[in-house]
Amino acid sequence: MKLNLNTKDLINVGVFTVLYIAVVAVCGQLGALVPIGQVLGPFYIPALAGIVFMLFLTRVTKPGMVTIMGVLVGLLVLATGQAYWVLVLAVILAPLADLILSLGGYKRWINTVLGYIVFSQMLIGTVIPLFFARDAYLARLGERKDAAWIQSMIELTPNWMFAVMIGELAVGAVVGAYVGRALLKKHFERAGIA
Amino acid sequence: MPDSAVRLDAVTFSYGAAAGDSLSDLELDLRPGEFVALTGPSGSGKTTLTRLINGLIPHYYEGVLSGKVLVNGVDPSSHALWRLPVGSVFQNPRAQFFTTDTTSEIAFGAENLGLEAAEILRRVDAAIESMGLEELRDRSVFALSGGEKQRVACASVAAVRPPIYVLDEPSANLDLESTQQLRAIMATWKASGATVVVAEHRLGYLRDLVDRVLIFADGRLRQELGGTDFRRLDEGQLRRLGLRCAWGRPLAVASQAPDRGYLEVSGLRCGYRRVGGSGLATPRRRDVVGIDQLRIPKGAVTALVGANGAGKTTFAAWLGGLRRDRRGTLSDGGRVWKRSERRRRVFLVSQDVNHQLFTEAVSTEIELALRLASPDSGLPAPDAAAIMNQLDISDLAGRHPLSLSAGQKQRVVVAAALASGREVVVLDEPTAGLDLGHMTAVAKALRDLADGGRTVVVATHDADLVAACADNIVRLDHGSLAN
Amino acid sequence: MTRELFRLDPRTTLLVVAVLNVVMFSAGFAGGAGWARLVFMAIPAVLAAGLGRWIAAIGYLTAVCAAYVLELWALDSSLGGAGVIVAGVAGLVSRLAPGVFMAYVAVISVRVSELMAGLEALRLPRFVVIPAAVVLRLLPTVREESRGVQAAMGVRGLSLGRVGPLPWLEYRIIPLIVSTVRCGEELSQAALTRGLGRHGQANRIARIGLRPADVLALAAMAAGIGVWVAG
């Protein structure tokens, strides 16, 4: 596949990648201020990052930009000490999201929502080690601990929580798409940057 | 060599959906080696003309273009941007750097052209030498002052050695000294035979350089003056043309402060350091604002003047209670305002007003400020409509604050300050880059604040603003009061 | 300039970031794996100290060592469920912190010009080099803008308590986005008028390549992985 992106597009990708990360960081700030924030993380992060993503889409007309942004976000998350699973998922999910969005010409609403749901799922990578690397983690512990101790550890992180988090991300992404669209109208179009 | 550096034939341009000021029916012929100033109120189309010359129209701003543009004999629309023989310097020194260290930034344009490394280094050295930038070599761009940034931006463009230079309000954020250094750089370009096109509001520093001044209004070229005719204009004539006082004026106050008592600063010691970052050892020079005693007249406008880096911004931030420094007090008739009280009673309008506008409409912005107003100020609290009327922004009530021009934004923030009911309003460079009309409007707003009983402190190097509204001048020099 | 001695080639820096994170999340507790983690915990501290960020380096090292010791202690004592939670939290900190701190070291030490030179030397395409350079260029800017917005909210009295969480977020985020996007547009224009849009090889003058610090960093990483595999 030949990418048909000009320099302006590539700079835009960089700008919105930074903004995506910045908004996630501000979310973290709110999470620290409001106690319930911690639990709802997978929900409100895509819900707020949707503001950046929807504004980004007003600048996307060609395939490739969403993919590059996704991979860059994955790399940045890796560089901030989170697990490399986000990057692995980004490499798979970002092109898929890009494809879904491009089929809607980066305009049609249903594609936008679906694309953003898929894009947001890469964030599940931050908790994958908690669930799937856990067996390996516990196996290593097993050399030093008895079975009852390990059982109590398993109960602290039930597997169904993983499915709940995927669901939370999806619902958060849908909300984020609508929030983003609303703020485009409320702010960005009126401020002259959309 | 073509006989025209820039030739425009019946050119009309509008941005279409994007924001920007259109130009209509422009005829223009600039000779190679000519030094041309473009001026006129903001929104008059002079920035648009710079973009037609440097190719950002149509390569970055698509819009609707008709007529014929020739730059050094070539049509910009049929050549890639990097092939155009034009070097551009922009208004905002902060945003035009692509890299984070000065030497690489100066080399950036030459690097992109794929020149040989040895040739790039030669050109970088030549640019550094001819502009006297030796002490700025290998520095972090984040640790530079506005004037230093603008000189590095000029060097970066010069290293490409274009035959045409285009500058869009390059002095908007500079103090007097930096503006003179910028002038010296442009003089070398002119001497080398290059064509120079500068869009500016304040033409004073270009007085001896210009060969022609083009005055724009409402997207049209209204008047053309030869260099000699331009230099003959007096202040009144300039004002009638809608131009800023062109010939540097001495600082003078507009009126005497009324006797309504004083706020007193005493024993202030406040350290500040220029910010650094990104991969470079930054000079950790620590400067200190030290003010033993200073009286700020209440109900008056005090202008805080001094070169960039003199500590004006630090002092303003301290007044607003944004700094934790414990040494120094601000008192009102012997009663000391602690930091928390300064935060409640002082409204600080910092340099970048874009950070200070939060809502989706001008009227909502004022209402938000009214809702959060300090109840204990004792000043009458007018309603939103009255405030907008006073600042002459009623017709902007429904606009998004971030879509306004710089001068309008300043007035909206001042309106929010008024609505907040704070007794003291501190502003940092409110008229940087403003044209005569907007500067006058901001000056009137500050005058009104003071006449309404508020204490106003404005950090500025705009002599026009000082002359238009200040009652009192305080000069800071390397952090200390100067006489 | 002694600080220059501790600056790595941008490609070495990226390699350290990647390998360090893999090791932190894959290595276990005891024996060689534990030693490997200690080695990798130390690398960013040494780099930061070498760049003159002594306070940050010492603060980080203290925190991460405390977390590491706490994790081992909580696992070895018979504290039951509380021990699991303590070990879990301490383990997370001791594994996350080195990556976060190394990212900080990367951002303060890699220059945009070197990153571009390094990535271009690897023959990576423009669609990798340019966005990556823009990200590194804008990170400090966004942080500065973010602080500006935060300070302005303080001036206006727009605290979380007075306006509520949703308006707070709106005020916090919208001006940040608008000013960063505008900054990006200006950056774009300044870069395009200086030839960034040209396809074809650019010659960069930034100095890259293996320096003594790179050799030491690579050797330290090799040693860390060595003790892990051996032990």
Side-chain angles (χ1 to χ4, degrees), chain B residues 363 366-367 370 380-390 415 418-419:
Chain B
S363 53
I366 315 295
E367 280 152 18
L370 281 171
D383 64 352
I387 291 172
M388 288 192 289
N389 237 337
Q390 188 181 339
L418 192 60

Side-chain angles (χ1 to χ4, degrees), chain A residues 51 54-55 58 109 177-192 194, chain B residues 360 400, chain C residues 174:
Chain A
I51 303 170
M54 292 301 126
L55 183 58
T58 63
W109 183 241
Y178 279 94
V179 168
R181 188 167 70 164
L183 289 180
L184 270 185
K185 291 213 170 69
K186 184 177 178 189
H187 285 288
F188 301 133
E189 282 170 12
R190 287 161 42 76
Chain B
E360 70 278 10
H400 196 291
Chain C
I174 301 294

Side-chain angles (χ1 to χ4, degrees), chain A residues 16-64:
Chain A
F16 282 91
T17 305
V18 171
L19 276 175
Y20 187 91
I21 296 294
V23 168
V24 171
V26 171
C27 292
Q29 194 186 358
L30 184 76
L33 294 171
V34 187
I36 193 126
Q38 303 287 1
V39 188
L40 293 175
F43 168 73
Y44 73 76
I45 289 176
L48 288 165
I51 303 170
V52 175
F53 198 82
M54 292 301 126
L55 183 58
F56 178 52
L57 287 186
T58 63
R59 281 152 170 77
V60 177
T61 50
K62 296 168 261 191

Side-chain angles (χ1 to χ4, degrees), chain A residues 137 141 144-145 149 153, chain C residues 29 66-91:
Chain A
Y137 183 81
L141 277 178
R144 303 152 70 96
K145 290 290 166 188
W149 195 93
M153 176 103 186
Chain C
F29 309 94
Y68 184 77
V69 171
L70 193 64
E71 183 189 4
L72 290 183
W73 171 78
L75 282 174
D76 273 345
S77 65
S78 30
L79 294 170
V84 181
I85 292 170
V86 170
V89 172

Side-chain angles (χ1 to χ4, degrees), chain B residues 189-210:
Chain B
W189 291 346
K190 182 179 180 179
S192 74
T195 310
V196 183
V197 180
V198 197
E200 269 293 1
H201 290 304
R202 283 191 278 184
L203 297 174
Y205 75 105
L206 300 174
R207 187 179 182 190
D208 306 325
L209 291 175
V210 288

Side-chain angles (χ1 to χ4, degrees), chain A residues 2-194:
Chain A
K2 179 95 179 84
L3 282 180
N4 179 30
L5 301 175
N6 60 36
T7 309
K8 185 177 169 185
D9 295 330
L10 297 176
I11 293 178
N12 267 329
V13 170
V15 170
F16 282 91
T17 305
V18 171
L19 276 175
Y20 187 91
I21 296 294
V23 168
V24 171
V26 171
C27 292
Q29 194 186 358
L30 184 76
L33 294 171
V34 187
I36 193 126
Q38 303 287 1
V39 188
L40 293 175
F43 168 73
Y44 73 76
I45 289 176
L48 288 165
I51 303 170
V52 175
F53 198 82
M54 292 301 126
L55 183 58
F56 178 52
L57 287 186
T58 63
R59 281 152 170 77
V60 177
T61 50
K62 296 168 261 191
M65 292 173 77
V66 173
T67 305
I68 301 170
M69 177 177 171
V71 174
L72 271 179
V73 168
L75 279 167
L76 280 170
V77 170
L78 171 74
T80 54
Q82 301 280 346
Y84 40 83
W85 285 105
V86 179
L87 179 59
V88 173
L89 286 176
V91 171
I92 302 163
L93 294 176
L96 188 61
D98 210 340
L99 180 69
I100 295 171
L101 289 161
S102 74
L103 290 176
Y106 297 95
K107 290 223 163 18
R108 204 197 299 154
W109 183 241
I110 182 75
N111 296 61
T112 300
V113 176
L114 281 175
Y116 185 52
I117 292 175
V118 171
F119 188 87
S120 300
Q121 288 300 334
M122 74 164 90
L123 295 173
I124 201 72
T126 55
V127 295
I128 282 182
L130 228 65
F131 294 95
F132 292 98
R134 187 184 55 190
D135 294 342
Y137 183 81
L138 293 178
R140 282 201 298 268
L141 277 178
E143 300 155 15
R144 303 152 70 96
K145 290 290 166 188
D146 58 50
W149 195 93
I150 289 170
Q151 191 55 40
S152 70
M153 176 103 186
I154 290 172
E155 279 161 14
L156 278 171
T157 51
N159 277 330
W160 55 262
M161 266 305 287
F162 189 69
V164 169
M165 283 182 166
I166 287 182
E168 266 190 274
L169 278 174
V171 175
V174 174
V175 173
Y178 279 94
V179 168
R181 188 167 70 164
L183 289 180
L184 270 185
K185 291 213 170 69
K186 184 177 178 189
H187 285 288
F188 301 133
E189 282 170 12
R190 287 161 42 76
I193 64 161

Side-chain angles (χ1 to χ4, degrees), chain C residues 74-153:
Chain C
L75 282 174
D76 273 345
S77 65
S78 30
L79 294 170
V84 181
I85 292 170
V86 170
V89 172
L92 206 62
V93 169
S94 73
R95 283 154 202 269
L96 273 176
V100 174
F101 196 70
M102 189 57 216
Y104 162 76
V105 169
V107 170
I108 62 165
S109 70
V110 177
R111 300 176 187 179
V112 171
S113 53
E114 294 170 342
L115 182 73
M116 291 184 84
L119 297 183
E120 283 168 355
L122 292 174
R123 304 265 159 206
L124 289 173
R126 290 162 54 78
F127 67 76
V128 176
V129 179
I130 293 175
V134 171
V135 167
L136 184 62
R137 163 67 180 80
L138 285 181
L139 278 174
T141 306
V142 169
R143 201 177 62 160
E144 215 172 284
E145 301 274 337
S146 177
R147 284 181 179 166
V149 172
Q150 220 170 352
M153 287 173 73

